[in-house]
Amino acid sequence: MTYEEIVYEKLGAVARITLNKPEQYNAQSKLMRDEMDAAFAEAVADDDVRVIILAGAGRNFSTGHDVGREAFANFKANPPNDLQRTANSWRYNVENTLRWRDVPKPTIAQVQGYCIFGGWIIASAMDLIVAADDALFLPGYVQYFSAPWDLGIRKAKEILFKSRFITAEEAHEAGFVSMVVPRDELEQATLEFAQEIAESDPLVLRLTKQAINNAQDAMGYRASVEGAHAGHMVLQFAGKMMPLEGKHRLPGVDQAMTKLRREREER
């Protein structure tokens, strides 16, 4: 299959799916997420592939959904009704992300630079995360709301209440990230990590992943993620989760970026 916004590679027993819009910081369009869906399906169908890496080209993993000038202008000119917005959000953020979370092969997110909102969504859906030392994560009350499971209840409250970034080291301490490596070693370290996992028996890997995900679901993960989507849509309808005019980013992102800039200036 030919892809426009991602790159699909086979590296022995490892498949790598790379978001490929570096000039837009790998902002996720509907096309990109459709192509991700097809690429995951391609990797699952290939018996030679045992592990899947999800990466982002360029300086940043992903700054989230594409709310740039063109996308925002199109939304303003052709606003969908509430039913369409809800159905589209469910399809492109919950239904497909849960499918990627449950692919029957181990998955690893390879994260550098910004991993914001929609970037957090797709990284959190992977089984493991390898982060560069320059990675900055920003969770939020997004469409696929996994932060309480990713960080723990009180840590999630503290971070989301303040709308702030998490460094790679803090994400590692919270258990969200598996390992932190120097930026120039990220690609090789992630590939070696994947290749080590690929040495395990594929049936054992598949059933182990299924058992762990089933245990998490028995504790309420899937129901929690699915139920939280309705609350997110209420915030969208109220205009609290819409792009800021002129800045073309969401209010929570703007707040976090302002804090980050202030912290850097104070150093």
Side-chain angles (χ1 to χ4, degrees), residues 9-23:
E9 306 167 272
K10 278 187 64 177
L11 307 166
V14 178
R16 183 164 60 202
I17 301 167
T18 303
L19 313 183
N20 194 34
K21 293 201 305 181
E23 65 282 357

Side-chain angles (χ1 to χ4, degrees), residues 49-105:
V49 172
R50 295 192 176 188
V51 181
I52 305 167
I53 293 173
L54 179 63
R59 295 175 56 189
N60 301 289
F61 176 71
S62 176
T63 53
H65 294 89
D66 186 355
V67 294
R69 289 175 173 80
E70 183 176 346
F72 186 55
N74 182 64
F75 181 90
K76 295 288 284 186
N78 304 286
N81 62 44
D82 291 347
L83 182 59
Q84 291 171 330
R85 286 171 62 185
T86 301
N88 286 339
S89 178
W90 180 269
R91 174 188 172 190
Y92 281 101
N93 296 290
V94 180
E95 189 177 82
N96 56 1
T97 308
L98 283 171
R99 185 161 55 247
W100 304 336
R101 176 229 180 199
D102 289 332
V103 298
K105 298 179 180 181

